Amino acid sequence: MAERLRIGIVVGEASGDILGASLMQALKLSHPHAEFEGIGGPLMLAQGFNSHYPMERLAVMGLVEPLKRLPELLRIRSSLKQHFITNPPDLFLGIDAPDFNLGLELALRKQGLLTAHYVSPSVWAWRSGRVHKIAKAVDRMLTLFPFEAQFYHQHNVPVSFIGHPLADKFPLQNNQQQAKDALAITGQQPLVALLPGSRGGEVRMLGEAFIETARWCLHQRADLQFILPAANEARYQQLQAMLAQRGAGLPITLIQGGSQTAMAAADVVLMASGTTTLEAMLLKRPMVVAYKMAKLSYAIISRMVKSKFISLPNLLANEQLVPEVLQDDVRPEMLGPLVLEALQNQAKRDVLDKRFTELHQELKRDASARAAEVLLKMIQHRRDETSAGQA
């Protein structure tokens, strides 16, 4: 493929910017003069990406904010659609941001453009009917997890499992002592990391229960110490207020940032469900996963979700490797015994270490290089088809 290469990409948030920049680097290894345009973030811009709009214009969350911004988002999508139809790239790739990208991919594919999507929406867990729109919108889905690829195979959607970029970055063996040194943690007391989430609502639902669980555990084992990383300044202030009210005198060290280091240093992690559970798995840390939300929201969503598990380690293994505690069970009497069990059951810790390593190896596929390979093959196949049709 010595021909000129031009790829359209749209990302909507920081995680997509990371994936996009890494993918651009991988594509440039074989196509150093490749051109990339659409919507990208600062990491992609540093790679020479031509962004038609600031990525932040797509980074909307919640229920009300997207509705308020809907006219602007529709204008941006319409503008990109017209641009790419008028100036067709070799391929258009939407990276995550499915609410924005799938509609754009569908419109472009109807006009004959080659399209792909990187990072699957959670169609395997809820709103599975979206797979029919995805089948019409993309020539290929690129997934981070193997169970996602299985779902698309079952629905006859072309798919490639490329692995997870985080698995490429994490070493197969965790250096716990190095992490403790980085946090200036001394002594041999067992360390429990508390991660009640990165959003205010998560911390509000889980923060006090986690602090009270620390108190419960200390009644059973007085030698424990705890570390509580806050995702940002707002969460730091929120957790500091909780500790002042509920955690006075407890050996809980509050830090700002450093959640990965805190998990790597810990002997066990009590944490909110989310992507961070994947990081804990890649660090080979025993964990207890908790999830809680407003009762009405939970009543609605629990009827829609079809997955047996909520945490990524269990989803990847398709079995319950780590305990999951939901809703009204999120209280010290339920969480505390599970934390101590994860801390003290050495046989189970050894089994977890082995299974987590196996799952890590399954995800460690040099994801960006594999994604680049898949996309270049798609482009070459389309060019071959076009040449054959013109012959």
Side-chain angles (χ1 to χ4, degrees):
M1 287 180 60
E3 301 101 320
R4 172 174 173 264
L5 182 69
R6 181 167 156 265
I7 295 179
I9 303 178
V10 169
V11 306
E13 56 185 27
S15 60
D17 184 34
I18 293 170
L19 294 177
S22 183
L23 175 61
M24 287 173 63
Q25 286 181 320
L27 288 164
K28 284 181 178 180
L29 291 177
S30 59
H31 292 75
H33 302 296
E35 299 174 8
F36 305 90
E37 64 171 319
I39 297 180
L43 297 177
M44 295 169 67
L45 294 177
Q47 294 286 326
F49 189 84
N50 175 21
S51 191
H52 294 213
Y53 299 91
M55 181 184 72
E56 291 73 21
R57 303 315 302 164
L58 267 58
V60 292
M61 297 179 65
L63 296 174
V64 177
E65 185 63 18
L67 291 175
K68 290 167 57 178
R69 296 273 309 285
L70 185 59
E72 179 191 5
L73 294 171
L74 292 175
R75 283 196 300 271
I76 292 174
R77 189 160 66 180
S78 177
S79 173
L80 289 171
K81 171 188 167 184
Q82 291 305 317
H83 172 79
F84 286 126
I85 289 173
T86 305
N87 306 279
D90 294 292
L91 178 141
F92 176 83
L93 177 69
I95 299 182
D96 211 354
D99 291 333
F100 185 92
N101 275 326
L102 287 175
L104 180 56
E105 291 157 4
L106 179 61
L108 295 178
R109 192 173 186 229
K110 283 181 177 178
Q111 295 296 317
L113 275 71
L114 189 64
T115 63
H117 192 88
Y118 187 4
V119 184
S120 171
S122 300
V123 288
W124 40 269
W126 70 306
R127 291 173 60 198
S128 59
R130 289 177 292 172
V131 72
H132 302 298
K133 179 178 180 180
I134 291 170
K136 296 176 182 178
V138 303
D139 291 283
R140 184 161 293 268
M141 174 65 72
L142 279 59
T143 72
L144 306 182
F145 301 113
F147 64 84
E148 295 174 322
Q150 293 168 9
F151 175 87
Y152 285 104
H153 279 307
Q154 292 167 2
H155 289 83
N156 299 313
V157 177
V159 63
S160 294
F161 161 57
I162 62 165
H164 202 294
L166 276 178
D168 298 325
K169 294 181 179 180
F170 281 70
L172 285 174
Q173 291 188 329
N174 171 47
N175 191 327
Q176 185 179 19
Q177 188 56 53
Q178 186 179 67
K180 284 187 173 183
D181 292 343
L183 295 170
I185 294 173
T186 58
Q188 298 302 312
Q189 302 104 307
L191 178 66
V192 179
L194 305 174
L195 279 80
S198 59
R199 299 183 177 92
E202 290 176 318
V203 173
R204 189 164 55 253
M205 287 290 182
L206 297 175
E208 290 187 2
F210 281 17
I211 293 169
E212 292 300 333
T213 298
R215 187 188 308 279
W216 188 97
C217 290
L218 285 163
H219 282 309
Q220 318 305 314
R221 286 194 58 167
D223 62 335
L224 300 179
Q225 56 181 334
F226 299 83
I227 188 162
L228 177 57
N232 50 48
E233 176 62 27
R235 299 293 78 73
Y236 186 92
Q237 297 294 334
Q238 187 179 11
L239 288 165
Q240 190 176 50
M242 285 185 179
L243 284 172
Q245 184 176 12
R246 307 296 292 266
L250 298 179
I252 300 176
T253 301
L254 177 64
I255 62 172
Q256 185 166 326
S259 63
Q260 283 186 11
T261 307
M263 287 189 288
D267 296 290
V268 63
V269 184
L270 173 59
M271 64 195 315
S273 177
T275 305
T276 317
T277 62
L278 176 65
E279 297 176 0
M281 186 201 82
L282 295 172
L283 289 165
K284 319 303 180 298
R285 295 297 84 196
M287 69 190 86
V288 176
V289 179
Y291 183 78
K292 188 175 183 180
M293 61 192 308
K295 289 186 177 182
L296 179 58
S297 298
Y298 182 79
I300 295 171
I301 291 177
S302 62
R303 287 175 171 82
M304 300 170 64
V305 174
K306 298 180 179 180
S307 172
K308 292 187 294 184
F309 305 112
I310 62 167
S311 65
L312 283 167
N314 292 344
L315 286 164
L316 285 164
N318 196 29
E319 62 176 300
Q320 186 162 317
L321 295 181
V322 302
E324 299 177 349
V325 183
L326 309 179
Q327 286 302 103
D328 293 340
D329 285 339
V330 178
R331 58 185 194 275
E333 314 87 77
M334 295 293 292
L335 297 172
L338 294 171
V339 170
L340 294 183
E341 167 73 7
L343 181 65
Q344 296 165 175
N345 189 332
Q346 189 58 49
K348 187 173 182 179
R349 291 172 67 87
D350 292 341
V351 170
L352 272 183
D353 187 271
K354 180 176 183 294
R355 291 291 286 119
F356 285 174
T357 301
E358 291 170 351
L359 293 170
H360 189 163
Q361 291 171 324
E362 186 176 14
L363 296 179
K364 193 178 180 69
R365 300 292 184 95
D366 197 357
S368 295
R370 286 176 67 88
E373 179 184 1
V374 168
L375 298 181
L376 290 174
K377 284 183 176 179
M378 290 176 64
I379 293 169
Q380 187 61 58
H381 182 68
R382 173 60 65 90
R383 288 176 173 176
D384 291 344
E385 285 184 333
T386 301
S387 297
Q390 293 172 346

